[in-house]
């Protein structure tokens, strides 16, 4: 390379270096003008302080959300019950639709049938319960007098005054005051129950009418690649819920019909229809429904005649064993395809978590989980 050309390259290099120095100087002056010293350092998001702060904020937010959920817990339970009833009644609506009846008309027919059943139950049972409770209270002094003649009970009664306290509790209305808080408490409890029933009925009708749209909207949230499979499993789960409702109705009808025959034979024919209806409705509740119905009928039997009450007690103790270990597991195993032992375990867990509502919902939930395990989890494990 000749000397003139080398000189030009050197001058260009110095010129470029000077331009870069000027840029650095201007940047430094701008940084000082903004009050910064040197290049900016990024915020350390993984520092212990930042992690602790974000964790505390997340915990407070979770606590706040949990409190809000607890506040609306009763409403959520009513919504879940209404949705459960809507899914259970949907097969009946579909039956009318298959008869070439419009869905809106079928929905009205089902709603009328349900309301008629509830009204008939109330009309049939309220007079019987009122009459028999009055008779039960009127017979309490006679029973107390008979117990006083028993030597063993007489010894403890003289020592602890048991029978007088029992008679005062049963005839003085103190039980109702303690349980419901007096007349005002009874009225509020009845009003609250009526309001909840009305809300459930209204929500059930709305959900039953909008069930196809609800299903389509829910399935549309699933990615298109998995939507067909999810739709299939979702429809099968809803079908299992409907089958569970039908199975529960079959079990309840078995209890009601057997009670009807027994009450006619034992001498309670005047109240046989109403009491068998009570047993049928209460028997829908898993695990404890049959016991509640047995207690009602047995108390009325004792109010009518102690021997009839004893016969009722023996009959329902034996029948409950047959229902719990023979009828209920077999019917439910065919309806929802769930093993008998899992039905009992699910009902116990549901009852311990949410009481009667939990017992009602436990078996369909167990059937849904078992279906997902059989159709999704196990096949994936086989392909690995």
């Amino acid at each position: 390379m000749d000397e003139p050309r080398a000189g030009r390259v050197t001058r260009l290099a110095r010129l470029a270096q000077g331009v870069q120095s000027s840029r650095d100087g201007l940047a430094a002056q701008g940084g000082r003008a903004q009050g910064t010293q040197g290049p900016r350092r990024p915020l350390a998001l993984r520092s212990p302080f930042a992690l602790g702060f974000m964790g505390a904020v997340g915990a407070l937010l979770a606590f706040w959300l949990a409190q809000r959920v607890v506040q609306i817990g009763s409403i959520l339970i009513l919504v879940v019950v209404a949705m459960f009833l809507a899914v259970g009644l949907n097969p009946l609506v579909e039956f009318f639709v298959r008869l070439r009846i419009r869905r809106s008309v079928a929905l009205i027919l089902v709603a009328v049938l349900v309301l008629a059943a509830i009204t008939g139950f109330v009309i049939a049972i309220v007079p019987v319960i009122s009459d028999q409770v009055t008779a039960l209270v009127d017979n309490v002094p006679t029973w107390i007098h008979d117990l006083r003649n028993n030597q063993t009970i007489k010894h403890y009664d003289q020592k602890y005054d048991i029978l007088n306290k029992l008679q005062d509790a049963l005839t003085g209305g103190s039980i109702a005051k303690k349980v419901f808080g007096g007349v005002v408490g009874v009225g509020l409890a009845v009003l609250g129950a009526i309001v909840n029933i009305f809300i459930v009925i209204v929500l059930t009708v709305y959900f039953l009418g909008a069930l196809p749209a609800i299903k389509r909207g829910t399935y549309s949230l699933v990615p298109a690649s998995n939507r067909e499979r999810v739709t299939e499993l979702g429809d099968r789960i809803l079908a299992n819920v409907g089958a569970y409702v039908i199975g529960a109705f079959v079990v309840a009808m078995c209890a009601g019909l057997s009670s009807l025959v027994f009450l006619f034979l034992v001498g309670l024919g005047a109240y046989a229809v109403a009491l068998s209806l009570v047993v049928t409705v209460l028997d829908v509740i898993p695990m404890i429904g049959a016991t509640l119905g047995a207690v009602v009928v047995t108390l009325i039997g004792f109010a009518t005649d102690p021997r009839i009450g004893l016969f009722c007690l023996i009959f329902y103790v034996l029948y409950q064993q047959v229902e719990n270990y023979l009828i209920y597991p077999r019917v439910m195993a065919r309806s929802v395809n769930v093993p008998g032992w899992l039905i009992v375990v699910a009902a116990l867990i549901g009852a311990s978590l949410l009481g009667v509502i939990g017992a009602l919902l436990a078996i369909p939930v167990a059937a849904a989980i078992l279906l997902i395990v059989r159709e999704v989890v196990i096949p994936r494990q086989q392909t690995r």
Side-chain angles (χ1 to χ4, degrees):
M1 177 181 300
D2 56 356
E3 186 64 25
R5 187 175 181 183
R8 288 197 299 270
V9 171
T10 303
R11 286 196 298 272
L12 289 175
R14 290 177 179 176
L15 180 61
Q17 185 177 3
V19 172
Q20 184 64 33
S21 300
S22 300
R23 290 180 178 177
D24 292 342
L26 291 174
Q29 291 178 1
R32 287 192 295 269
Q34 296 178 0
T36 58
Q37 298 295 332
R40 298 179 181 179
R41 299 178 58 187
L43 179 63
L45 296 179
R46 294 186 179 182
S47 66
F49 175 78
L51 292 176
F53 179 78
M54 296 302 295
V57 172
L60 291 175
L61 180 61
F63 180 73
W64 182 82
L65 291 176
Q67 285 186 325
R68 301 291 81 78
V69 172
V70 170
Q71 286 181 349
I72 63 173
S74 59
I75 302 299
L76 291 178
I77 291 177
L78 295 180
V79 172
V80 171
V81 171
M83 179 59 74
F84 171 76
L85 294 177
V87 173
L89 293 174
N90 189 60
L92 186 57
V93 176
E94 297 293 339
F95 171 76
F96 287 118
V97 171
R98 287 194 295 270
L99 296 179
R100 296 183 179 180
I101 299 176
R102 289 187 303 175
R103 184 175 180 87
S104 58
V105 178
L107 177 62
I108 294 174
L109 290 176
V110 172
V112 170
L113 290 175
V114 172
L115 291 176
I118 296 174
T119 304
F121 170 76
V122 173
I123 294 175
I125 194 56
V126 168
V128 176
I129 295 295
S130 178
D131 294 341
Q132 293 305 307
V133 168
T134 302
L136 181 65
V137 174
D138 292 340
N139 289 331
V140 166
T142 303
W143 296 342
I144 297 296
H145 180 269
D146 294 338
L147 290 174
R148 292 184 191 277
N149 295 328
N150 187 290
Q151 295 298 325
T152 303
I153 296 179
K154 184 177 181 180
H155 171 71
Y156 287 102
D157 181 52
Q158 291 177 351
K159 193 172 183 180
Y160 300 105
D161 194 23
I162 299 174
L163 296 180
N164 287 331
K165 295 179 180 178
L166 178 62
Q167 183 173 353
D168 293 340
L170 293 176
T171 60
S174 60
I175 293 180
K177 292 180 180 179
K178 291 180 179 179
V179 174
F180 297 106
V183 177
V184 176
V186 173
L188 292 177
V190 173
L191 180 61
I194 293 174
V195 171
N196 288 338
I197 292 174
F198 177 76
I199 292 174
V200 169
I201 292 175
V202 172
L203 289 177
T204 300
V205 173
Y206 276 114
F207 287 152
L208 193 57
L211 190 58
I214 293 174
K215 291 195 298 183
R216 289 194 301 268
T218 304
Y219 295 151
S220 64
L221 299 176
V222 181
S225 58
N226 298 326
R227 189 173 301 162
E228 183 178 357
R229 180 60 171 165
V230 172
T231 301
E232 178 189 357
L233 291 177
D235 289 341
R236 290 176 63 180
I237 290 173
L238 295 179
N240 282 341
V241 175
Y244 166 73
V245 174
I246 296 174
F249 177 76
V250 171
V251 174
M253 287 298 298
C254 291
L257 292 175
S258 61
S259 298
L260 182 64
V261 174
F262 168 76
L263 292 174
F264 273 114
L265 294 176
V266 83
L268 286 177
Y271 310 117
V273 176
L275 292 179
S276 61
L277 182 60
V278 172
V279 172
T280 302
V281 173
L282 293 179
D283 201 79
V284 175
I285 305 173
M287 305 303 295
I288 63 173
T291 302
L292 294 176
V295 169
V296 172
V297 177
T298 302
L299 288 177
I300 292 178
F302 275 114
T304 304
D305 190 332
R307 290 179 300 177
I308 295 178
L310 182 60
F311 291 150
C312 292
L313 180 62
I314 296 173
F315 170 77
Y316 282 108
V317 168
L318 296 177
Y319 179 79
Q320 285 189 30
Q321 307 308 312
V322 175
E323 180 181 290
N324 292 336
Y325 297 102
L326 182 63
I327 299 176
Y328 196 89
R330 291 195 175 187
V331 172
M332 287 302 167
R334 293 183 179 182
S335 300
V336 296
N337 195 20
V338 177
W341 65 270
L342 185 56
I343 291 174
V344 177
V345 172
L348 290 174
I349 294 175
S352 63
L353 292 176
L354 293 176
V356 175
I357 304 301
L360 285 171
L361 301 178
I363 297 175
V365 171
I369 295 175
L370 188 59
L371 177 63
I372 294 174
V373 171
R374 288 172 176 172
E375 298 293 334
V376 178
V377 178
I378 294 179
R380 286 185 178 178
Q381 296 298 326
Q382 297 296 333
T383 58
R384 289 183 177 180

